[in-house]
PDB file of all heavy atoms in Angstrom:
ATOM      1  N   LEU A  52    -105.794-112.285 104.251  1.00  0.00           N
ATOM      2  CA  LEU A  52    -105.038-111.052 104.339  1.00  0.00           C
ATOM      3  C   LEU A  52    -104.298-111.085 105.673  1.00  0.00           C
ATOM      4  O   LEU A  52    -104.937-111.194 106.709  1.00  0.00           O
ATOM      5  CB  LEU A  52    -105.949-109.824 104.236  1.00  0.00           C
ATOM      6  CG  LEU A  52    -105.333-108.472 104.612  1.00  0.00           C
ATOM      7  CD1 LEU A  52    -104.115-108.146 103.819  1.00  0.00           C
ATOM      8  CD2 LEU A  52    -106.382-107.400 104.492  1.00  0.00           C
ATOM      9  N   SER A  53    -102.967-111.077 105.648  1.00  0.00           N
ATOM     10  CA  SER A  53    -102.216-111.177 106.889  1.00  0.00           C
ATOM     11  C   SER A  53    -101.403-109.854 107.065  1.00  0.00           C
ATOM     12  O   SER A  53    -100.800-109.391 106.177  1.00  0.00           O
ATOM     13  CB  SER A  53    -101.257-112.323 106.886  1.00  0.00           C
ATOM     14  OG  SER A  53    -101.937-113.518 106.723  1.00  0.00           O
ATOM     15  N   PHE A  54    -101.467-109.375 108.312  1.00  0.00           N
ATOM     16  CA  PHE A  54    -100.620-108.243 108.753  1.00  0.00           C
ATOM     17  C   PHE A  54     -99.535-108.849 109.684  1.00  0.00           C
ATOM     18  O   PHE A  54     -99.500-110.071 109.881  1.00  0.00           O
ATOM     19  CB  PHE A  54    -101.418-107.159 109.410  1.00  0.00           C
ATOM     20  CG  PHE A  54    -102.344-106.498 108.457  1.00  0.00           C
ATOM     21  CD1 PHE A  54    -103.739-106.620 108.582  1.00  0.00           C
ATOM     22  CD2 PHE A  54    -101.896-105.649 107.481  1.00  0.00           C
ATOM     23  CE1 PHE A  54    -104.583-105.979 107.717  1.00  0.00           C
ATOM     24  CE2 PHE A  54    -102.755-104.962 106.586  1.00  0.00           C
ATOM     25  CZ  PHE A  54    -104.106-105.163 106.704  1.00  0.00           C
ATOM     26  N   VAL A  55     -98.771-108.015 110.290  1.00  0.00           N
ATOM     27  CA  VAL A  55     -97.694-108.505 111.192  1.00  0.00           C
ATOM     28  C   VAL A  55     -98.262-109.255 112.369  1.00  0.00           C
ATOM     29  O   VAL A  55     -97.709-110.293 112.740  1.00  0.00           O
ATOM     30  CB  VAL A  55     -96.814-107.296 111.708  1.00  0.00           C
ATOM     31  CG1 VAL A  55     -95.823-107.781 112.658  1.00  0.00           C
ATOM     32  CG2 VAL A  55     -96.197-106.606 110.493  1.00  0.00           C
ATOM     33  N   ASP A  56     -99.390-108.781 112.937  1.00  0.00           N
ATOM     34  CA  ASP A  56     -99.883-109.372 114.154  1.00  0.00           C
ATOM     35  C   ASP A  56    -101.171-110.186 114.019  1.00  0.00           C
ATOM     36  O   ASP A  56    -101.629-110.784 114.942  1.00  0.00           O
ATOM     37  CB  ASP A  56    -100.096-108.287 115.222  1.00  0.00           C
ATOM     38  CG  ASP A  56    -101.083-107.199 114.737  1.00  0.00           C
ATOM     39  OD1 ASP A  56    -101.384-107.166 113.550  1.00  0.00           O
ATOM     40  OD2 ASP A  56    -101.538-106.460 115.609  1.00  0.00           O
ATOM     41  N   GLN A  57    -101.838-110.097 112.826  1.00  0.00           N
ATOM     42  CA  GLN A  57    -103.154-110.767 112.695  1.00  0.00           C
ATOM     43  C   GLN A  57    -103.342-111.269 111.294  1.00  0.00           C
ATOM     44  O   GLN A  57    -102.682-110.870 110.359  1.00  0.00           O
ATOM     45  CB  GLN A  57    -104.283-109.843 113.102  1.00  0.00           C
ATOM     46  CG  GLN A  57    -104.535-108.701 112.122  1.00  0.00           C
ATOM     47  CD  GLN A  57    -105.583-107.728 112.658  1.00  0.00           C
ATOM     48  OE1 GLN A  57    -105.641-107.478 113.871  1.00  0.00           O
ATOM     49  NE2 GLN A  57    -106.410-107.237 111.793  1.00  0.00           N
ATOM     50  N   LYS A  58    -104.275-112.206 111.172  1.00  0.00           N
ATOM     51  CA  LYS A  58    -104.639-112.828 109.913  1.00  0.00           C
ATOM     52  C   LYS A  58    -106.161-112.715 109.779  1.00  0.00           C
ATOM     53  O   LYS A  58    -106.933-113.064 110.606  1.00  0.00           O
ATOM     54  CB  LYS A  58    -104.225-114.264 109.902  1.00  0.00           C
ATOM     55  CG  LYS A  58    -104.499-114.989 108.628  1.00  0.00           C
ATOM     56  CD  LYS A  58    -103.982-116.425 108.755  1.00  0.00           C
ATOM     57  CE  LYS A  58    -104.176-117.197 107.451  1.00  0.00           C
ATOM     58  NZ  LYS A  58    -103.595-118.539 107.569  1.00  0.00           N
ATOM     59  N   ILE A  59    -106.593-112.219 108.636  1.00  0.00           N
ATOM     60  CA  ILE A  59    -108.027-112.073 108.269  1.00  0.00           C
ATOM     61  C   ILE A  59    -108.287-113.115 107.240  1.00  0.00           C
ATOM     62  O   ILE A  59    -107.655-113.059 106.186  1.00  0.00           O
ATOM     63  CB  ILE A  59    -108.328-110.643 107.797  1.00  0.00           C
ATOM     64  CG1 ILE A  59    -107.970-109.615 108.874  1.00  0.00           C
ATOM     65  CG2 ILE A  59    -109.795-110.551 107.360  1.00  0.00           C
ATOM     66  CD1 ILE A  59    -107.999-108.205 108.373  1.00  0.00           C
ATOM     67  N   GLU A  60    -109.199-114.043 107.517  1.00  0.00           N
ATOM     68  CA  GLU A  60    -109.427-115.097 106.569  1.00  0.00           C
ATOM     69  C   GLU A  60    -110.897-115.193 106.199  1.00  0.00           C
ATOM     70  O   GLU A  60    -111.808-114.885 106.995  1.00  0.00           O
ATOM     71  CB  GLU A  60    -108.904-116.410 107.080  1.00  0.00           C
ATOM     72  CG  GLU A  60    -109.414-116.820 108.413  1.00  0.00           C
ATOM     73  CD  GLU A  60    -108.684-118.023 109.029  1.00  0.00           C
ATOM     74  OE1 GLU A  60    -107.983-118.727 108.269  1.00  0.00           O
ATOM     75  OE2 GLU A  60    -108.824-118.230 110.228  1.00  0.00           O
ATOM     76  N   THR A  68    -110.990-112.757 112.092  1.00  0.00           N
ATOM     77  CA  THR A  68    -109.607-112.387 112.313  1.00  0.00           C
ATOM     78  C   THR A  68    -109.078-113.168 113.464  1.00  0.00           C
ATOM     79  O   THR A  68    -109.789-113.468 114.455  1.00  0.00           O
ATOM     80  CB  THR A  68    -109.445-110.872 112.578  1.00  0.00           C
ATOM     81  OG1 THR A  68    -108.086-110.570 112.724  1.00  0.00           O
ATOM     82  CG2 THR A  68    -110.185-110.399 113.824  1.00  0.00           C
ATOM     83  N   THR A  69    -107.821-113.537 113.415  1.00  0.00           N
ATOM     84  CA  THR A  69    -107.143-114.310 114.474  1.00  0.00           C
ATOM     85  C   THR A  69    -105.748-113.689 114.667  1.00  0.00           C
ATOM     86  O   THR A  69    -105.155-113.179 113.740  1.00  0.00           O
ATOM     87  CB  THR A  69    -106.999-115.804 114.105  1.00  0.00           C
ATOM     88  OG1 THR A  69    -106.299-115.929 112.870  1.00  0.00           O
ATOM     89  CG2 THR A  69    -108.355-116.468 114.022  1.00  0.00           C
ATOM     90  N   ALA A  70    -105.318-113.764 115.913  1.00  0.00           N
ATOM     91  CA  ALA A  70    -103.983-113.239 116.240  1.00  0.00           C
ATOM     92  C   ALA A  70    -102.958-114.257 115.788  1.00  0.00           C
ATOM     93  O   ALA A  70    -103.162-115.496 115.901  1.00  0.00           O
ATOM     94  CB  ALA A  70    -103.876-113.013 117.758  1.00  0.00           C
ATOM     95  N   LEU A  71    -101.860-113.762 115.222  1.00  0.00           N
ATOM     96  CA  LEU A  71    -100.786-114.682 114.791  1.00  0.00           C
ATOM     97  C   LEU A  71     -99.961-115.144 115.968  1.00  0.00           C
ATOM     98  O   LEU A  71     -99.325-116.206 115.900  1.00  0.00           O
ATOM     99  CB  LEU A  71     -99.879-113.965 113.743  1.00  0.00           C
ATOM    100  CG  LEU A  71    -100.613-113.699 112.405  1.00  0.00           C
ATOM    101  CD1 LEU A  71     -99.702-113.006 111.453  1.00  0.00           C
ATOM    102  CD2 LEU A  71    -101.134-115.002 111.803  1.00  0.00           C
ATOM    103  N   GLN A  72     -99.875-114.347 117.013  1.00  0.00           N
ATOM    104  CA  GLN A  72     -99.213-114.725 118.228  1.00  0.00           C
ATOM    105  C   GLN A  72    -100.217-114.765 119.363  1.00  0.00           C
ATOM    106  O   GLN A  72    -100.926-113.776 119.588  1.00  0.00           O
ATOM    107  CB  GLN A  72     -98.059-113.752 118.579  1.00  0.00           C
ATOM    108  CG  GLN A  72     -97.059-113.614 117.476  1.00  0.00           C
ATOM    109  CD  GLN A  72     -96.072-112.500 117.760  1.00  0.00           C
ATOM    110  OE1 GLN A  72     -96.229-111.746 118.674  1.00  0.00           O
ATOM    111  NE2 GLN A  72     -95.072-112.399 116.938  1.00  0.00           N
ATOM    112  N   PRO A  76    -102.136-109.315 122.184  1.00  0.00           N
ATOM    113  CA  PRO A  76    -103.490-108.964 121.773  1.00  0.00           C
ATOM    114  C   PRO A  76    -103.488-108.280 120.433  1.00  0.00           C
ATOM    115  O   PRO A  76    -102.536-107.671 119.944  1.00  0.00           O
ATOM    116  CB  PRO A  76    -103.960-108.045 122.876  1.00  0.00           C
ATOM    117  CG  PRO A  76    -102.761-107.431 123.417  1.00  0.00           C
ATOM    118  CD  PRO A  76    -101.661-108.499 123.324  1.00  0.00           C
ATOM    119  N   LEU A  77    -104.632-108.347 119.723  1.00  0.00           N
ATOM    120  CA  LEU A  77    -104.780-107.729 118.399  1.00  0.00           C
ATOM    121  C   LEU A  77    -104.764-106.184 118.615  1.00  0.00           C
ATOM    122  O   LEU A  77    -105.376-105.663 119.504  1.00  0.00           O
ATOM    123  CB  LEU A  77    -106.057-108.127 117.735  1.00  0.00           C
ATOM    124  CG  LEU A  77    -106.188-109.593 117.298  1.00  0.00           C
ATOM    125  CD1 LEU A  77    -107.567-109.884 116.738  1.00  0.00           C
ATOM    126  CD2 LEU A  77    -105.140-109.884 116.255  1.00  0.00           C
ATOM    127  N   THR A  78    -104.085-105.423 117.685  1.00  0.00           N
ATOM    128  CA  THR A  78    -104.077-104.010 117.778  1.00  0.00           C
ATOM    129  C   THR A  78    -105.315-103.418 117.088  1.00  0.00           C
ATOM    130  O   THR A  78    -105.704-102.343 117.446  1.00  0.00           O
ATOM    131  CB  THR A  78    -102.806-103.461 117.074  1.00  0.00           C
ATOM    132  OG1 THR A  78    -102.789-103.969 115.719  1.00  0.00           O
ATOM    133  CG2 THR A  78    -101.548-103.817 117.774  1.00  0.00           C
ATOM    134  N   TRP A  79    -105.877-104.130 116.184  1.00  0.00           N
ATOM    135  CA  TRP A  79    -107.100-103.695 115.533  1.00  0.00           C
ATOM    136  C   TRP A  79    -108.048-104.876 115.363  1.00  0.00           C
ATOM    137  O   TRP A  79    -107.724-105.867 114.716  1.00  0.00           O
ATOM    138  CB  TRP A  79    -106.813-103.079 114.122  1.00  0.00           C
ATOM    139  CG  TRP A  79    -107.987-102.561 113.427  1.00  0.00           C
ATOM    140  CD1 TRP A  79    -108.629-101.402 113.687  1.00  0.00           C
ATOM    141  CD2 TRP A  79    -108.698-103.191 112.362  1.00  0.00           C
ATOM    142  NE1 TRP A  79    -109.696-101.272 112.781  1.00  0.00           N
ATOM    143  CE2 TRP A  79    -109.776-102.338 112.012  1.00  0.00           C
ATOM    144  CE3 TRP A  79    -108.580-104.417 111.705  1.00  0.00           C
ATOM    145  CZ2 TRP A  79    -110.650-102.638 110.971  1.00  0.00           C
ATOM    146  CZ3 TRP A  79    -109.471-104.700 110.654  1.00  0.00           C
ATOM    147  CH2 TRP A  79    -110.523-103.799 110.364  1.00  0.00           C
ATOM    148  N   GLN A  80    -109.198-104.763 116.001  1.00  0.00           N
ATOM    149  CA  GLN A  80    -110.214-105.809 115.903  1.00  0.00           C
ATOM    150  C   GLN A  80    -111.443-105.206 115.337  1.00  0.00           C
ATOM    151  O   GLN A  80    -112.159-104.459 116.012  1.00  0.00           O
ATOM    152  CB  GLN A  80    -110.444-106.426 117.289  1.00  0.00           C
ATOM    153  CG  GLN A  80    -110.264-107.905 117.298  1.00  0.00           C
ATOM    154  CD  GLN A  80    -110.499-108.473 118.662  1.00  0.00           C
ATOM    155  OE1 GLN A  80    -110.582-107.764 119.641  1.00  0.00           O
ATOM    156  NE2 GLN A  80    -110.732-109.749 118.704  1.00  0.00           N
ATOM    157  N   GLY A  81    -111.714-105.504 114.075  1.00  0.00           N
ATOM    158  CA  GLY A  81    -112.921-104.992 113.450  1.00  0.00           C
ATOM    159  C   GLY A  81    -114.046-106.031 113.476  1.00  0.00           C
ATOM    160  O   GLY A  81    -113.813-107.209 113.742  1.00  0.00           O
ATOM    161  N   LEU A  86    -114.109-105.994 108.538  1.00  0.00           N
ATOM    162  CA  LEU A  86    -113.097-106.849 107.908  1.00  0.00           C
ATOM    163  C   LEU A  86    -113.368-106.960 106.438  1.00  0.00           C
ATOM    164  O   LEU A  86    -112.450-106.912 105.618  1.00  0.00           O
ATOM    165  CB  LEU A  86    -113.062-108.237 108.563  1.00  0.00           C
ATOM    166  CG  LEU A  86    -112.678-108.263 110.072  1.00  0.00           C
ATOM    167  CD1 LEU A  86    -112.837-109.698 110.611  1.00  0.00           C
ATOM    168  CD2 LEU A  86    -111.251-107.784 110.253  1.00  0.00           C
ATOM    169  N   LEU A  89    -112.470-103.775 104.693  1.00  0.00           N
ATOM    170  CA  LEU A  89    -111.005-103.641 104.565  1.00  0.00           C
ATOM    171  C   LEU A  89    -110.505-104.444 103.341  1.00  0.00           C
ATOM    172  O   LEU A  89    -109.721-103.912 102.521  1.00  0.00           O
ATOM    173  CB  LEU A  89    -110.305-104.132 105.803  1.00  0.00           C
ATOM    174  CG  LEU A  89    -108.748-104.157 105.775  1.00  0.00           C
ATOM    175  CD1 LEU A  89    -108.224-102.763 105.548  1.00  0.00           C
ATOM    176  CD2 LEU A  89    -108.179-104.781 107.032  1.00  0.00           C
ATOM    177  N   VAL A 115     -96.406-104.697 106.839  1.00  0.00           N
ATOM    178  CA  VAL A 115     -96.419-105.652 105.761  1.00  0.00           C
ATOM    179  C   VAL A 115     -97.856-106.259 105.621  1.00  0.00           C
ATOM    180  O   VAL A 115     -98.491-106.553 106.608  1.00  0.00           O
ATOM    181  CB  VAL A 115     -95.473-106.813 106.053  1.00  0.00           C
ATOM    182  CG1 VAL A 115     -95.505-107.887 104.972  1.00  0.00           C
ATOM    183  CG2 VAL A 115     -94.063-106.302 106.221  1.00  0.00           C
ATOM    184  N   THR A 117     -99.814-109.351 103.482  1.00  0.00           N
ATOM    185  CA  THR A 117     -99.656-110.554 102.640  1.00  0.00           C
ATOM    186  C   THR A 117    -100.995-111.102 102.277  1.00  0.00           C
ATOM    187  O   THR A 117    -101.843-111.370 103.147  1.00  0.00           O
ATOM    188  CB  THR A 117     -98.820-111.583 103.401  1.00  0.00           C
ATOM    189  OG1 THR A 117     -97.599-110.979 103.849  1.00  0.00           O
ATOM    190  CG2 THR A 117     -98.506-112.817 102.504  1.00  0.00           C
ATOM    191  N   PRO A 161    -105.082-100.462 108.882  1.00  0.00           N
ATOM    192  CA  PRO A 161    -105.734 -99.893 110.107  1.00  0.00           C
ATOM    193  C   PRO A 161    -105.033-100.313 111.381  1.00  0.00           C
ATOM    194  O   PRO A 161    -105.116 -99.645 112.389  1.00  0.00           O
ATOM    195  CB  PRO A 161    -107.147-100.434 110.035  1.00  0.00           C
ATOM    196  CG  PRO A 161    -107.000-101.714 109.259  1.00  0.00           C
ATOM    197  CD  PRO A 161    -105.893-101.471 108.254  1.00  0.00           C
ATOM    198  N   SER A 162    -104.328-101.456 111.367  1.00  0.00           N
ATOM    199  CA  SER A 162    -103.705-101.954 112.592  1.00  0.00           C
ATOM    200  C   SER A 162    -102.428-101.163 112.953  1.00  0.00           C
ATOM    201  O   SER A 162    -102.019-101.126 114.104  1.00  0.00           O
ATOM    202  CB  SER A 162    -103.377-103.421 112.481  1.00  0.00           C
ATOM    203  OG  SER A 162    -102.468-103.671 111.449  1.00  0.00           O
TER     204      SER A 162
END
Side-chain angles (χ1 to χ4, degrees):
L52 164 59
S53 299
F54 293 110
V55 175
D56 60 344
Q57 70 186 38
K58 180 178 184 178
I59 300 168
E60 55 190 343
T68 184
T69 55
L71 293 177
Q72 299 172 355
L77 293 174
T78 56
W79 182 77
Q80 235 179 344
L86 297 174
L89 175 62
V115 178
T117 305
S162 62

